[in-house]
Amino acid sequence: MRAFVFPGQGSQAVGMGAALAEASSHARAVFQEVDEALGQNLFRLMTDGPADDLTLTENAQPAIMANAIATLRVLEQEGGVRLSEKADFVAGHSLGEYTALCAAGAIDLATTARLLKLRGRAMQAAVPVGTGGMAALLGATIEQAEAIAAAAAEGEICTVANDNAPGQVVISGNAGAIERAAGLVKEHGVKRAMPLPVSAPFHCPLMQPAADAMEAALAEARIDAPFVPVFANVTAAPVTASDTIRRLLVEQVTGIVRWRESVLAMHAAGVTRFVELGGKVLVPMIKRITPDVDSISVVSMDEIEALLQKI
């Protein structure tokens, strides 16, 4: 069995998509459709920068999605690969869940782009800059991270945001609580806390204003049943019902990204090969979670051609 997975924020880089667009009209069509849906030249920002503007959450989220869907379109249109025939499951990390839903036919490309633009703006606006923070707890188990977050909270918000892989758990919350958590790692047997260069404390209760904005937007968006089950971040379980997808996307804004559990659940369901489209951030995590499975990242035309030989 095979799962196609899609990266989250942090996988953006100036130059992304340029070679793919030069090589394929199908990739160019994806970038053009996203530009038209957003009313901005996002593709030019992706290819030429500046990096600071591309890193803005409202730009990075639709850009990462567009790059992944362009990669998929090349596979489908030029390689003859049909996701409905080749994938048993799809999943994505945080914003990548929207990409997975788009790939599986639940949300059309233009709607996905607009939802992610709004999601990025709403997440950035939810908390004043400097109020919140995030940190990766290196060498921590999920249980250790939860204990550190609980001890550091002291009446503020401090929760686990991302359970990425063994030894890589991210916490999120008020800046003071994150700083206190960093001072507690040694006594909890954790190697160290690494502050993350993020503009807001994602995936924690401080994001509730963004969750409210997404609830309103998703209520108006057309969401169909995906033709491949999508593993949801907040449940680490497959979902196919449209109303459930809507609800879980809202919960995802403030909830934990249960990536480690999602990969383990897909593996337990029989997945023996993971294919990451549009990035190279998930495969290293997958190799740490399930070292016995085959996993491959696909970004360039050469990598697409290599995948076509194996799929």
Side-chain angles (χ1 to χ4, degrees), residues 82-103:
R82 293 289 176 268
L83 197 72
S84 58
E85 299 170 359
K86 297 296 184 180
D88 297 284
F89 301 108
V90 293
H93 189 283
S94 191
L95 80 90
E97 188 169 333
Y98 284 79
T99 315
L101 288 162
C102 181

Side-chain angles (χ1 to χ4, degrees), residues 173-293:
N174 290 104
I178 298 301
E179 190 173 336
R180 288 192 294 273
L184 294 172
V185 294
K186 295 295 186 184
E187 65 185 74
H188 284 265
V190 172
K191 189 184 302 181
R192 67 188 180 98
M194 184 176 71
L196 298 180
V198 295
S199 54
F202 304 126
H203 296 292
C204 81
L206 293 174
M207 288 285 109
Q208 188 58 47
D212 295 341
M214 291 311 298
E215 183 174 23
L218 287 161
E220 300 295 323
R222 174 173 175 170
I223 300 180
D224 297 319
F227 55 72
V228 176
V230 180
F231 265 75
N233 284 185
V234 296
T235 60
V239 60
T240 56
S242 299
D243 287 346
T244 306
I245 289 169
R246 278 192 180 85
R247 175 174 59 81
L248 294 179
L249 287 176
V250 174
E251 292 180 12
Q252 188 221 60
V253 179
T254 57
I256 179 174
V257 176
R258 297 169 61 184
W259 185 251
R260 178 183 60 85
E261 292 177 84
S262 296
V263 172
L264 287 173
M266 285 185 275
H267 188 215
V271 172
T272 56
R273 173 175 288 178
F274 289 89
V275 179
E276 178 183 5
L277 294 182
K280 294 180 180 289
V281 296
L282 297 181
V283 162
M285 296 181 195
I286 291 167
K287 288 182 182 296
R288 293 174 68 175
I289 300 165
T290 52
D292 57 327
V293 305

Side-chain angles (χ1 to χ4, degrees), residues 123-197:
M123 292 172 85
Q124 186 60 64
V127 180
V129 174
T131 302
M134 300 179 77
L137 303 184
L138 303 181
T141 64
I142 183 68
E143 293 80 14
Q144 288 171 314
E146 288 172 341
I148 291 169
E154 296 184 10
E156 292 188 310
I157 298 296
C158 189
T159 60
V160 173
N162 302 64
D163 181 13
N164 286 333
Q168 188 189 120
V169 184
V170 175
I171 57 173
S172 180
N174 290 104
I178 298 301
E179 190 173 336
R180 288 192 294 273
L184 294 172
V185 294
K186 295 295 186 184
E187 65 185 74
H188 284 265
V190 172
K191 189 184 302 181
R192 67 188 180 98
M194 184 176 71
L196 298 180

